[in-house]
Amino acid sequence: DDDDDDDDDGSHPARDVRVVATSDPSVEPDIVVEGPDIFRAGRDEGSRCAWGDKPWVQTTAEPSMFFNAWEWCRHETDPVMRLETGLAHFNQDLVYDAKKTTYVWSPYAMTHAWLMRDHLADRLRAFRDNPPDLRRHMVGWASGNCQEHRAQIFRALQRASNRGWREGRVDELGRDGAVHALGACEHNVRWSSSDEYPPRGTKPWELYKDYRWVLALENSAEPGYVTEKLVNAMASGAVPVYYGDSRAARKVFKRGTFVDVLEIWRLKGHVPGDPEVPGSPPTEADWDVIADYVVAIDRDPDLYAKFFAHSNALNEEPESEVYDDAVKFEIGVDYPNEPFPQIDRPVGEQIGPDSGATREAVWRLRDLFRKKLEEQDAWELRRANGAAQKAPARGGGLAAKH
């Protein structure tokens, strides 16, 4: 959202534009935001596929394996923008026309990180009354989506804990090596005397308040797919053990604030999967490598403390993240833009000449709503001159229908 007066370098001073999101079928929108076919409830009824003559945006919130990339409501034009939580469809000509649609990488994690920023931006302050290194239990995990790779790492941690801690042992600080599954998957501990499972909506800093480590395991290691799982684990104050696209994750959180499973394997020269089946999923032996790594650090206070070298876990300058040749991550090639939107960073700083797709997307939206923005600018000028008493009914903002 920018001012309409161009600077000499083509940039635009940032300003706010009021945007109202609505699902009310009686409200005529300025732009339609549409999700993929998995969110089809009501699509054949009411207004789900109405307003096909309006500008529109495609948006996804799931891995590409879970939705049809081509099935959308009927529209008169191509979408202005495709907001993707992952990168599986980036530069895929069969999915979108790059000349008409801007592909913007907007990881699902960014929204959740903004909502939980008070527990992420200053962890030493947020958890001073419950220091992670002094918490009673070692590993906590809660999931209702049971998958084999999740079960394998959980069981590997149980085995490693029994080797490194010896079952039932408590150290001089009152800590133990317990590995707990609080959710339905691998469930082995009750939430309370009255509840088998944690109540729905329990905040992560309450859910994992007794744990030093938390598992954050994506449904898929799809490129760019970073979700609330890593955010929740980080916001709990514990150290996340993350399995997913760690290149993308390091654009959201600083390197060294979480256990990067893929990086640990790489640094140890360990190639996961069945050596006789290229591309096969990790095996029990692969997860044992990670589990032993976690337990070794858990037993060494100095090594554990290194995960808190940065009180602010958020990566304020993702463009500065450096990748070696083995795991390069190049803007415009591997991904279209830095994670968007970035937390507590002015929009103007996110649409510079080297920002990639976010700059292009903002320009397209500006051109699309230039008249409305000019109307608002005119009203602001009249107000400044004392000529206007209230905003015009339609000129004060944009209506987005989702």
Side-chain angles (χ1 to χ4, degrees):
D1 302 325
D2 304 80
D3 197 314
D4 279 321
D5 295 328
D6 294 359
D7 288 347
D8 292 339
D9 64 355
S11 63
H12 309 276
R15 66 167 173 74
D16 293 331
V17 174
R18 184 174 63 88
V19 178
V20 178
T22 179
S23 296
D24 186 347
S26 67
V27 176
E28 180 179 353
D30 295 286
I31 191 168
V32 173
V33 180
E34 183 182 338
D37 63 315
I38 56 172
F39 306 118
R40 300 182 70 170
R43 176 166 288 188
D44 298 327
E45 303 174 3
S47 65
R48 179 67 194 211
C49 274
W51 310 114
D53 59 334
K54 299 294 183 181
W56 68 295
V57 171
Q58 294 173 336
T59 181
T60 69
E62 296 289 345
S64 61
M65 68 176 73
F66 292 152
F67 65 89
N68 185 319
W70 299 273
E71 187 173 337
W72 304 87
C73 291
R74 191 172 303 226
H75 296 272
E76 295 181 2
T77 60
D78 288 286
V80 177
M81 184 191 315
R82 186 180 179 96
L83 281 172
E84 280 269 17
T85 190
L87 298 171
H89 294 138
F90 178 49
N91 282 335
Q92 297 294 312
D93 294 340
L94 294 177
V95 176
Y96 69 102
D97 185 344
K99 294 180 180 179
K100 300 176 180 178
T101 303
T102 302
Y103 190 112
V104 176
W105 178 39
S106 184
Y108 202 41
M110 300 307 293
T111 299
H112 287 267
W114 184 84
L115 293 172
M116 298 184 181
R117 61 193 182 282
D118 289 345
H119 289 80
L120 300 171
D122 190 348
R123 294 184 296 167
L124 295 182
R125 180 192 61 79
F127 299 103
R128 62 189 172 192
D129 295 330
N130 184 24
D133 60 324
L134 299 180
R135 295 178 182 181
R136 180 180 177 186
H137 303 309
M138 187 171 75
V139 178
W141 175 51
S143 178
N145 184 358
C146 307
Q147 297 188 23
E148 185 61 23
H149 68 284
R150 292 172 173 165
Q152 285 186 341
I153 186 173
F154 180 81
R155 295 166 191 165
L157 283 162
Q158 289 181 308
R159 293 192 296 271
S161 175
N162 289 338
R163 292 192 297 271
W165 271 90
R166 294 196 298 275
E167 189 171 3
R169 178 186 172 187
V170 177
D171 69 10
E172 63 278 6
L173 298 176
R175 309 179 315 159
D176 60 35
V179 180
H180 288 163
L182 303 168
C185 303
E186 302 295 309
H187 183 65
N188 67 352
V189 64
R190 292 180 62 92
W191 172 249
S192 68
S193 59
S194 58
D195 296 305
E196 187 72 30
Y197 303 107
R200 190 174 184 85
T202 303
K203 300 300 183 184
W205 45 89
E206 290 294 332
L207 181 64
Y208 298 119
K209 65 181 183 299
D210 294 327
Y211 298 95
R212 302 186 294 278
W213 307 82
V214 171
L215 297 183
L217 313 170
E218 301 290 8
N219 296 327
S220 165
E222 179 177 306
Y225 185 65
V226 185
T227 71
E228 80 287 349
K229 297 175 184 64
L230 178 56
V231 178
N232 288 342
M234 190 73 75
S236 74
V239 178
V241 179
Y242 183 69
Y243 177 67
D245 184 353
S246 56
R247 301 179 308 168
R250 293 203 299 270
K251 290 285 188 181
V252 180
F253 292 109
K254 291 186 178 79
R255 180 192 293 260
T257 58
F258 59 94
V259 172
D260 180 342
V261 168
L262 299 184
E263 184 175 43
I264 298 307
W265 279 330
R266 182 177 61 83
L267 291 175
K268 291 181 174 293
H270 184 89
V271 180
D274 186 338
E276 297 183 0
V277 184
S280 59
T283 65
E284 284 190 4
D286 300 328
W287 291 118
D288 282 335
V289 171
I290 301 301
D292 287 338
Y293 172 86
V294 169
V295 171
I297 294 177
D298 191 64
R299 304 293 291 132
D300 188 322
D302 292 334
L303 291 178
Y304 185 84
K306 289 183 178 180
F307 286 98
F308 298 89
H310 300 285
S311 183
N312 183 358
L314 295 166
N315 192 343
E316 308 106 306
E317 296 183 348
E319 66 274 15
S320 300
E321 178 64 28
V322 177
Y323 300 86
D324 59 34
D325 291 339
V327 287
K328 69 174 184 175
F329 203 40
E330 185 178 351
I331 191 168
V333 178
D334 301 293
Y335 67 106
N337 55 278
E338 302 298 343
F340 184 83
Q342 292 170 35
I343 300 168
D344 294 332
R345 191 173 186 182
V347 173
E349 292 184 11
Q350 301 182 53
I351 57 171
D354 299 324
S355 63
T358 50
R359 179 179 177 87
E360 179 182 297
V362 168
W363 273 77
R364 282 186 166 173
L365 289 175
R366 283 171 42 80
D367 289 342
L368 197 61
F369 298 111
R370 183 172 297 277
K371 182 177 179 181
K372 185 173 285 287
L373 292 172
E374 288 174 349
E375 288 176 358
Q376 181 162 315
D377 285 345
W379 175 79
E380 293 284 357
L381 181 60
R382 290 196 303 273
R383 186 178 66 171
N385 292 333
Q389 298 301 316
K390 64 179 181 178
R394 292 283 298 163
L398 306 176
K401 189 169 189 62
H402 191 281

